[in-house]
Amino acid sequence: MKFINLVGPRSEFERIVSDYIIDSSIEFENPLNALRSAEGFSMDTTANPYEDTLKHFIEVLQYANVEFKDVKHHNENLSREEMEQFLEHFNTQLHTLKEKSESLKFEIQHEKEIIDTLTPVLDTNVHLEELAKLSYLKYRFGKLPRSSYQKLGTYLKNLPAYFYALTSDKEFVWGIYFVSEQHSEKVDRIFSTLYFEALLLDGDERGTPAQVIESLKQSMEKKQAELTALQVRLQATLNSQKNDLLRAYANIKYQYDLYSIHRHATVSRNSFCLTGWIDADEVPELSAKIEQDSSCSLIVDEPEAVHHITPPTKLKNWRIFKPFEEFVRMYGVPNYNEMDPTPFLAIVYTLLFGIMFGDVGHGLCLAAIGVVLTLLKKGGFLGKLLIPLGLSSTVFGLLYGSVFGFEGEHALIHPLWFTPFEGSEAMMNTLLYSVILGVVIILLCMIFNIVNGVRQKNWQKVWFSQNGVAGMVFYALVLFCALSILNGSDHPLSLAVILIVVSLILIFLQEPLGKLVAKQKNWIPKDKGGFFLESFFETFEIVLSFVTNTVSFLRVGAFALNHAGMMSVVVMFIYQLNFGGSIAIALFGNLLVIGLEGLIVGIQVLRLGFYEMFSRFYDGGGREFKPTNQ
């Protein structure tokens, strides 16, 4: 990252930003905070004149169902008035056509509901227009349950109301009830308690239900043809003007983005100032452009020159490592002077997942799911993540000789290495290899911590911390001594023991020693008793963490055995059941293991990454580089 400071005449702000800044990847900083002296400057409060127009464009695009999120801004040199006139004309056309379409859809749906209402009484000879002529009576057309119909006589006794049944089926009775106006409210309540469902008509129907239904069907066909023609016309309008609309949107977005940069600037009476961070690779090109413009000047500084501002971090990784950046972001973006752990995490995560989930069939299934999700652009980073994980599982499946759980005596292929679940010796070797791999990973993490310490010029971290040189010497020599004793070696261990004690003392005294190396005053603790007590417990916890972190990698081998054990149960049932049952068990068992155990293994590997690896060398307290043009 480089820190830039662009100064120019206020009257040429839009031209300078348009020529040099708007398409550059810059994360702006508040100049009042960034500059050592900002006297005479204040924040630019220029309002964005394109804000309402942009909102209007977005509303119209959403109303027209036109995808615009991936459209990049572009300067077409169109005035705001021209774009607003075009948008208004397009919107009027679109709105008129859509309103007519929606009106026809509503009418068609309403007529369909009337047809559905009258279909049960299709054979009735009641003329509906006669019902509408009743002056002193009210009527309700609808249906009620058979059980309610049987009780109707009791409820309507001594009331001026009459229910005329038209037709019925096993559940409902359709009919009309008549009631005088003065008793209609009471009778309506009674029918409501009997679960009567009123089927409303327009009141304009003429003829019998059969005649009305036939008339409505003809009306629906006519309106449907009209609706189809309208939709064709609407689509033609969209197709003919879509590109112009998106081009106008790109232009208005360009103008909006251009004026949005005002809020990042400070201005004086005649000048403006923009400050921010830019990728170091883009500086030469930007500098070469601005050097040819005598009206403005660009100052480029190293991050150390503005030490009071935390530089952002831009994650730069190979494409194959990109999906694993999401895990790094979960933990925290690396500090500017801290190594990006994404490549290391990607390699170790893929390796451990394959060891714990080694199976040719399961691995190919995961990789295939990843390919499909990636091609369909679904699942976010998960699809791209499943491809390397599936391939890793496939490789270790070949090493284990496992295909959909068929291994050992039921193996379909010969293992290229060994089968973890085949005998106690193989199981012990699986666990042993896991611990050895864990030791290598922990030592690598210590090396990364030393590298980070050198970058940060934190000599306490480099030399005296539990993950620095002292910690590495302690851990390596303790392992060496333990292995020597277990193997019955005759080599003297006195020098190793002395170095272990010295490294442990350095870890115990890491805080004052770090201050001493950094040439800080008052490096000797004032409260010596409190310091020694606190350091004792911290050192004890550090020694214990070496043991627990190392043992934690046993889970790698344990899950490899667990995977083989679960699939051995599935294979056992496959051989015991008939053909149909075997197929069902094979499908269900493999799907369960791929889905459930695959998820659990993924979580366990992530846990190892965060707690056993990142905790030793990675702080993750940075902020990600977010340029304005992205």
Side-chain angles (χ1 to χ4, degrees):
M1 286 287 116
K2 299 288 185 179
F3 188 78
I4 63 170
N5 183 353
L6 177 65
V7 179
R10 188 173 181 180
S11 59
E12 296 190 55
F13 180 88
E14 285 79 19
R15 180 192 66 81
I16 293 171
V17 169
S18 178
D19 289 346
Y20 310 123
I21 299 300
I22 193 168
D23 290 322
S24 298
S25 297
I26 299 173
E27 180 180 321
F28 293 103
E29 289 281 358
N30 186 335
L32 297 179
N33 297 331
L35 300 178
R36 293 184 180 89
S37 176
E39 186 177 350
F41 282 88
S42 61
M43 293 304 299
D44 191 344
T45 57
T46 302
N48 195 324
Y50 292 89
E51 184 172 2
D52 291 337
T53 307
L54 180 65
K55 287 180 180 178
H56 193 191
F57 260 91
I58 292 173
E59 289 172 0
V60 171
L61 287 166
Q62 290 175 338
Y63 183 68
N65 294 320
V66 175
E67 183 59 44
F68 63 94
K69 291 182 179 178
D70 294 331
V71 176
K72 295 182 179 180
H73 66 214
H74 182 67
N75 189 11
E76 295 280 348
N77 293 319
L78 297 173
S79 69
R80 187 177 60 184
E81 290 73 21
E82 288 177 311
M83 290 184 285
E84 287 178 345
Q85 287 175 4
F86 168 76
L87 182 65
E88 194 61 39
H89 177 68
F90 175 82
N91 192 30
T92 301
Q93 285 183 295
L94 182 69
H95 194 70
T96 301
L97 292 172
K98 276 214 164 191
E99 269 194 344
K100 288 181 180 179
S101 297
E102 294 302 320
S103 177
L104 283 172
K105 286 180 182 179
F106 176 79
E107 291 174 12
I108 292 170
Q109 180 61 30
H110 181 63
E111 290 178 349
K112 184 178 182 301
E113 290 173 357
I114 294 176
I115 290 175
D116 293 340
T117 297
L118 294 176
T119 298
V121 292
L122 180 66
D123 299 326
T124 305
N125 290 322
V126 175
H127 284 258
L128 299 178
E129 73 273 12
E130 298 298 327
L131 296 176
K133 295 178 182 179
L134 296 174
S135 300
Y136 302 103
L137 292 177
K138 287 191 174 182
Y139 75 95
R140 301 284 185 270
F141 178 71
K143 65 179 181 179
L144 75 167
R146 273 187 169 276
S147 57
S148 298
Y149 177 69
Q150 294 168 359
K151 305 172 187 176
L152 198 57
T154 304
Y155 281 93
L156 296 182
K157 190 177 181 181
N158 300 324
L159 283 173
Y162 176 71
F163 182 83
Y164 179 64
L166 298 173
T167 186
S168 63
D169 59 18
K170 293 180 180 180
E171 297 182 25
F172 295 99
V173 176
W174 278 262
I176 307 172
Y177 73 81
F178 300 90
V179 60
S180 63
E181 287 187 356
Q182 64 187 87
H183 294 91
S184 63
E185 188 175 340
K186 182 177 181 181
V187 172
D188 286 345
R189 285 199 302 267
I190 291 173
F191 271 90
S192 179
T193 61
L194 293 171
Y195 305 104
F196 179 82
E197 295 180 31
L199 305 174
L200 300 178
L201 301 174
D202 287 343
D204 298 328
E205 293 80 11
R206 296 289 183 270
T208 64
Q211 292 170 339
V212 172
I213 288 174
E214 182 62 29
S215 175
L216 289 174
K217 284 183 177 178
Q218 293 176 5
S219 175
M220 284 176 62
E221 288 179 5
K222 182 180 178 181
K223 289 176 180 176
Q224 186 61 52
E226 189 178 348
L227 176 62
T228 302
L230 268 176
Q231 289 175 336
V232 170
R233 186 178 166 192
L234 176 63
Q235 192 60 48
T237 301
L238 284 174
N239 292 340
S240 64
Q241 300 194 43
K242 178 180 176 181
N243 291 335
D244 291 338
L245 183 66
L246 290 176
R247 191 162 59 249
Y249 168 74
N251 186 76
I252 199 71
K253 191 172 187 299
Y254 179 90
Q255 300 298 336
Y256 174 83
D257 291 344
L258 176 63
Y259 272 86
S260 293
I261 295 177
H262 273 283
R263 71 176 186 268
H264 300 293
T266 55
V267 293
S268 63
R269 178 176 297 179
N270 299 316
S271 303
F272 75 87
C273 177
L274 282 170
T275 59
W277 299 97
I278 186 172
D279 191 325
D281 295 337
E282 295 187 27
V283 170
E285 182 181 356
L286 181 62
S287 297
K289 288 180 181 179
I290 295 179
E291 280 177 2
Q292 300 175 11
D293 192 333
S294 59
S295 64
C296 59
S297 61
L298 180 71
I299 301 171
V300 182
D301 287 320
E302 296 294 331
E304 292 76 14
V306 282
H307 55 83
H308 57 291
I309 299 177
T310 303
T313 302
K314 184 175 183 180
L315 299 177
K316 293 182 180 181
N317 291 293
W318 291 350
R319 189 174 180 180
I320 193 173
F321 296 149
K322 284 288 184 183
F324 296 90
E325 287 181 356
E326 296 300 324
F327 290 148
V328 173
R329 289 188 179 97
M330 290 179 193
Y331 193 90
V333 177
N335 291 310
Y336 179 73
N337 54 3
E338 186 176 36
M339 67 176 291
D340 181 2
T342 304
F344 175 64
L345 176 66
I347 294 170
V348 173
Y349 193 103
T350 304
L351 177 67
L352 295 182
F353 188 93
I355 295 172
M356 298 164 74
F357 200 71
D359 188 289
V360 174
H362 296 165
L364 291 176
C365 286
L366 287 179
I369 293 170
V371 170
V372 171
L373 289 175
T374 302
L375 293 176
L376 295 177
K377 297 182 179 180
K378 302 287 185 180
F381 76 99
L382 182 61
K384 296 176 182 178
L385 185 70
L386 287 176
I387 297 173
L389 298 185
L391 294 177
S392 177
S393 296
T394 303
V395 169
F396 278 93
L398 292 170
L399 295 174
Y400 297 159
S402 178
V403 182
F404 288 116
F406 290 92
E407 58 183 58
E409 60 178 327
H410 304 298
L412 302 178
I413 59 174
H414 185 73
L416 299 179
W417 188 17
F418 77 105
T419 302
F421 206 62
E422 194 172 36
S424 58
E425 184 179 352
M427 293 182 185
M428 290 302 298
N429 285 337
T430 302
L431 298 176
L432 178 61
Y433 295 151
S434 300
V435 174
I436 293 173
L437 180 60
V439 169
V440 173
I441 290 173
I442 289 173
L443 289 172
L444 281 173
C445 290
M446 291 180 176
I447 293 173
F448 295 150
N449 183 69
I450 294 171
V451 172
N452 281 335
V454 172
R455 282 185 171 188
Q456 298 161 5
K457 297 180 181 179
N458 185 339
W459 307 117
Q460 176 182 332
K461 176 185 283 191
V462 172
W463 296 107
F464 311 120
S465 75
Q466 64 269 29
N467 297 308
V469 174
M472 180 179 285
V473 170
F474 172 79
Y475 184 59
L477 289 178
V478 166
L479 290 173
F480 172 76
C481 291
L483 290 174
S484 297
I485 293 170
L486 289 174
N487 292 329
S489 175
D490 296 330
H491 295 291
L493 301 175
S494 54
L495 179 60
V497 172
I498 292 172
L499 290 174
I500 288 172
V501 173
V502 171
S503 59
L504 200 59
I505 292 173
L506 293 176
I507 294 171
F508 182 88
L509 299 173
Q510 62 175 292
E511 185 177 345
L513 290 175
K515 291 180 179 180
L516 178 62
V517 172
K519 298 180 180 179
Q520 295 182 18
K521 297 179 179 179
N522 302 321
W523 60 273
I524 299 175
K526 293 181 180 180
D527 183 7
K528 295 180 178 58
F531 165 77
F532 278 97
L533 184 63
E534 182 180 350
S535 295
F536 172 79
F537 285 107
E538 285 182 356
T539 306
F540 178 77
E541 184 182 358
I542 288 167
V543 173
L544 190 62
S545 70
F546 278 119
V547 177
T548 56
N549 288 166
T550 305
V551 172
S552 185
F553 279 90
L554 281 171
R555 74 184 68 220
V556 177
F559 270 95
L561 297 174
N562 178 65
H563 180 79
M566 288 180 67
M567 287 311 303
S568 68
V569 175
V570 175
V571 171
M572 180 186 69
F573 279 111
I574 289 174
Y575 279 98
Q576 289 181 352
L577 298 175
N578 56 30
F579 179 76
S582 298
I583 295 296
I585 286 294
L587 287 173
F588 176 76
N590 280 281
L591 287 174
L592 181 65
V593 170
I594 291 173
L596 183 61
E597 195 191 355
L599 177 64
I600 294 173
V601 167
I603 293 172
Q604 288 299 321
V605 177
L606 189 61
R607 183 211 170 277
L608 285 171
F610 282 0
Y611 292 99
E612 269 63 63
M613 292 169 10
F614 280 8
S615 62
R616 291 200 169 273
F617 74 96
Y618 183 56
D619 294 327
R623 61 185 181 91
E624 191 167 1
F625 177 60
K626 294 181 179 179
T628 307
N629 66 347
Q630 292 183 4

